[in-house]
């Protein structure tokens, strides 16, 4: 009897355990289902948030396209050894929480230590050249659709402007990536019956004087005034500036490399390769539709501005100090022009400097314009960083108006070419003739 009782007790315990295991298994299965459902909802929420974010950004960009506001992107470079040594435990002054916002902390400003800024795009210290180009590529390639496009880099000396625009070694900047893409798209459109001619020009503004960076070194240019003039289609251009008919991206890269070697540079405490001039690379694209005869002309202007600097930090002396004063003066004029445009003033002092006069159509005319503001992340440079970002904040409120396509009428495209384009072709032919003549002489 005792054995039967024990057996019954064991069986009962097994049954209760089996029931408990079954219940626990059911609860576990239910929990897994709820977890899976929650993960699915989270994934869906993340997808919807992502879609909403990009939709909002796309709508914002479309609105800007319609309104024509000057676009502003900000790029924060990595800290250098000097900044790390000077800042010590203070750490970085700039934080980039997302792709549109940045926070600047000035630990020496007790009243207003934290400032927040919002731009069209913000790139942190780990951003790559590819990241920067990916977001600007559509704007650049619209040149082939007959629009004028200008991209310029602004910021303190040594903040990374030239690296962003020109790059180095295996990390080419916007200039070379843009040119390469333009030639690629032009080749693709050839199959659709579109023929494109490209003309390259490159100048610097040094101490308020315009210099042709692609001029033949053996040529006497003392008689050339390099006046800044306005063309009804191309906007502002430099008269008598060398214009070279280019056929490949590598050709452009070699020419820009030559021009860079001719650009004024100096060593300062802020930058051992400090640019002492503003540089403007211009690529004109003239495209013809073989079927209709329609022709349109676009201009890509890539501008590497010299950096603003304080003599107390740069420790520039002699000629470098004079150059710094001229740079700061022209950048001050640029700031005055931006402020006048942002406030909707009737008079805008474009002619107060060669820089603003040459950029007149890009700042207040028929152009799609993007400004890069480059900043240092360091506490050591936080005052200059705040000045640059305040300037950029004013710039983003400038309304350019919707850019229009530069078309030549079909008949005029057949019968004539605009005066400026004729000049471009003549200068290109003259340049090629001189090269051929030199080769014969050398033989």
């Amino acid at each position: 009897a005792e054995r039967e009782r024990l057996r019954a007790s064991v069986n009962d315990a097994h049954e209760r355990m089996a029931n408990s295991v079954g219940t626990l298994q059911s609860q576990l299965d239910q929990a897994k289902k709820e977890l899976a459902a929650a993960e699915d909802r989270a994934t869906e929420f993340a997808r919807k948030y992502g879609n909403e974010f990009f939709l909002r950004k796309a709508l914002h960009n479309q609105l800007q396209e319609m309104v024509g506001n000057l676009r502003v992107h900000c790029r924060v470079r990595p800290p250098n050894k000097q900044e790390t040594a000077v800042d010590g435990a203070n750490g970085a002054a700039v934080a980039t929480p997302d792709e549109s916002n940045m926070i600047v902390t000035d630990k020496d400003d007790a009243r207003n230590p934290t400032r927040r800024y919002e731009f069209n795009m913000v790139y942190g210290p780990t951003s790559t050249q590819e990241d920067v180009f990916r977001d600007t590529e559509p704007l650049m390639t619209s040149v082939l659709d007959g629009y004028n496009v200008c991209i310029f880099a602004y910021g303190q000396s040594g903040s990374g402007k030239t690296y962003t625009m020109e790059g180095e070694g295996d990390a080419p900047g916007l200039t070379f990536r843009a040119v390469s893409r333009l030639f690629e798209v032009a080749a693709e459109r050839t199959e659709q019956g579109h023929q494109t001619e490209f003309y390259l020009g490159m100048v610097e503004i040094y101490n308020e004087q315009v210099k042709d960076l692609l001029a033949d070194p053996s040529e006497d240019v003392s008689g050339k005034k390099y006046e800044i003039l306005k063309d009804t289609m191309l906007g502002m251009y430099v008269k008598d500036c060398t214009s070279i008919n280019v056929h490949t991206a590598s050709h452009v890269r070699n020419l820009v490399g030559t021009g860079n070697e001719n650009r004024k540079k100096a060593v300062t405490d802020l930058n051992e390769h400090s640019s002492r001039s503003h540089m403007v690379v211009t690529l004109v694209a003239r495209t013809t539709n073989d079927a209709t005869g329609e022709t349109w002309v676009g201009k890509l202007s890539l501008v590497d501005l010299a950096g603003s600097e304080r003599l107390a930090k740069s420790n520039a002396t002699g000629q470098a100090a004079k150059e710094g004063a001229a740079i700061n003066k022209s950048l001050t004029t640029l700031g005055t022009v931006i402020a006048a445009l942002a406030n909707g003033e009737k008079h805008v002092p474009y002619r107060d400097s060669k820089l603003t006069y040459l950029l007149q159509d890009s700042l207040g005319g028929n152009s799609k314009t993007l400004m890069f503001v480059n900043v240092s992340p360091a506490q050591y440079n936080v005052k200059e960083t705040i000045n640059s970002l305040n300037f950029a904040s004013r710039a983003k409120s400038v309304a350019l108006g919707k850019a229009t396509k530069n078309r030549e009428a079909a008949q005029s495209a057949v019968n004539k070419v605009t005066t400026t384009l004729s000049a471009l072709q003549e200068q290109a032919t003259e340049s090629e003739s001189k090269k051929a003549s030199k080769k014969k002489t050398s033989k």
Side-chain angles (χ1 to χ4, degrees):
E2 182 64 21
R3 183 180 294 175
E4 291 298 325
R5 187 183 67 78
L6 289 173
R7 183 179 292 116
S9 177
V10 169
N11 290 338
D12 184 52
H14 277 301
E15 185 176 351
R16 288 199 305 273
M17 187 179 295
N19 289 337
S20 297
V21 170
T23 300
L24 291 172
Q25 186 62 51
S26 297
Q27 292 175 348
L28 179 61
D29 291 342
Q30 182 62 28
K32 286 181 177 179
K33 289 180 181 178
E34 292 176 357
L35 177 61
E39 289 176 343
D40 289 341
R41 288 197 300 274
T43 302
E44 181 64 13
F45 288 150
R47 185 186 66 79
K48 287 182 177 179
Y49 175 79
N51 289 344
E52 177 67 20
F53 175 82
F54 288 113
L55 176 61
R56 188 169 66 250
K57 197 169 189 62
L59 290 173
H60 176 71
N61 287 338
Q62 287 177 18
L63 177 62
Q64 278 212 312
E65 186 78 15
M66 290 187 288
V67 175
N69 274 31
L70 192 152
R71 300 164 176 83
V72 179
H73 291 188
C74 178
R75 189 177 192 185
V76 186
R77 66 157 170 75
N80 59 36
K81 292 180 180 179
Q82 180 187 9
E83 292 166 342
T84 302
V86 172
D87 284 342
N90 284 333
V94 180
T96 54
D98 57 45
E99 293 183 341
S100 299
N101 295 280
M102 61 192 311
I103 301 170
V104 180
T105 303
D106 182 357
K107 295 184 179 180
D108 294 329
D109 188 343
R111 296 182 61 185
N112 185 22
T114 303
R115 294 171 172 82
R116 297 175 182 273
Y117 298 89
E118 182 178 359
F119 299 109
N120 299 97
M121 283 296 298
V122 172
Y123 302 94
T126 59
S127 64
T128 65
Q129 301 285 58
E130 289 81 4
D131 295 333
V132 173
F133 179 67
R134 182 174 56 248
D135 295 317
T136 56
E137 179 184 357
L139 183 64
M140 294 180 184
T141 52
S142 63
V143 171
L144 293 176
D145 295 323
Y147 292 94
N148 293 342
V149 173
C150 176
I151 299 176
F152 68 96
Y154 175 93
Q156 172 193 12
S157 181
S159 59
K161 300 181 299 300
T162 299
Y163 179 75
T164 294
M165 297 302 293
E166 305 300 323
E168 59 183 24
D170 295 331
L174 284 175
T175 298
F176 302 123
R177 292 176 187 273
V179 168
S180 295
R181 185 58 184 149
L182 285 175
F183 276 98
E184 288 174 5
V185 176
E188 293 168 2
R189 293 185 179 185
T190 299
E191 299 175 0
Q192 302 166 7
H194 294 139
Q195 306 299 325
T196 303
E197 300 173 278
F198 290 101
Y199 298 90
L200 180 74
M202 190 173 178
V203 301
E204 71 172 348
I205 300 174
Y206 173 71
N207 287 349
E208 277 302 291
Q209 298 297 317
V210 178
K211 178 183 176 183
D212 184 357
L213 292 176
L214 296 181
D216 189 332
S218 62
E219 182 183 358
D220 181 11
V221 297
S222 58
K224 295 185 177 181
K225 295 182 179 180
Y226 295 122
E227 294 178 271
I228 299 174
L229 302 176
K230 187 173 184 178
D231 179 76
T232 54
M233 182 171 291
L234 289 179
M236 310 307 291
Y237 73 100
V238 178
K239 183 182 179 182
D240 293 328
C241 174
T242 301
S243 176
I244 300 176
N245 188 196
V246 289
H247 304 284
T248 65
S250 59
H251 187 194
V252 174
R253 182 164 191 157
N254 291 336
L255 289 171
V256 171
T258 299
N260 265 322
E261 291 176 2
N262 296 329
R263 189 182 183 188
K264 298 289 186 180
K265 297 181 181 68
V267 177
T268 72
D269 284 1
L270 288 174
N271 188 354
E272 62 178 334
H273 302 291
S274 177
S275 302
R276 312 311 288 170
S277 66
H278 309 299
M279 183 177 74
V280 183
V281 176
T282 304
L283 188 67
V284 175
R286 181 174 185 268
T287 303
T288 303
N289 185 321
D290 292 338
T292 65
E294 182 186 17
T295 299
W296 52 92
V297 181
K299 179 180 73 171
L300 175 62
S301 300
L302 298 162
V303 186
D304 180 13
L305 297 175
S308 58
E309 61 183 47
R310 288 191 292 164
L311 288 179
K313 276 193 174 181
S314 68
N315 287 320
T317 58
Q319 184 61 28
K322 293 179 182 178
E323 293 165 349
I327 291 167
N328 288 340
K329 183 179 178 181
S330 62
L331 291 176
T332 298
T333 303
L334 177 61
T336 303
V337 166
I338 290 291
L341 290 168
N343 295 331
E345 297 177 11
K346 291 184 178 180
H347 173 68
V348 182
Y350 292 114
R351 290 179 178 266
D352 284 3
S353 85
K354 295 286 180 65
L355 173 66
T356 50
Y357 192 35
L358 184 58
L359 293 181
Q360 179 176 344
D361 59 331
S362 300
L363 297 174
N366 181 32
S367 177
K368 297 182 179 184
T369 302
L370 166 63
M371 168 186 166
F372 265 94
V373 55
N374 293 81
V375 298
S376 156
Q379 282 290 333
Y380 173 69
N381 291 316
V382 70
K383 302 296 185 187
E384 289 82 358
T385 293
I386 290 171
N387 287 339
S388 294
L389 295 177
N390 287 341
F391 174 86
S393 294
R394 290 192 297 273
K396 73 176 184 178
S397 65
V398 173
L400 300 173
K402 187 175 181 179
T404 56
K405 189 171 182 176
N406 300 320
R407 283 189 173 92
E408 293 177 3
Q411 184 176 358
S412 65
V414 173
N415 297 330
K416 67 175 183 176
V417 179
T418 62
T419 303
T420 303
L421 288 171
S422 295
L424 289 172
Q425 290 169 331
E426 287 172 9
Q427 289 171 9
T429 302
E430 182 182 348
S431 177
E432 289 175 2
S433 298
K434 286 181 179 178
K435 288 181 181 177
S437 176
K438 274 189 174 182
K439 288 182 179 178
K440 289 181 180 178
T441 303
S442 61
K443 288 180 180 178

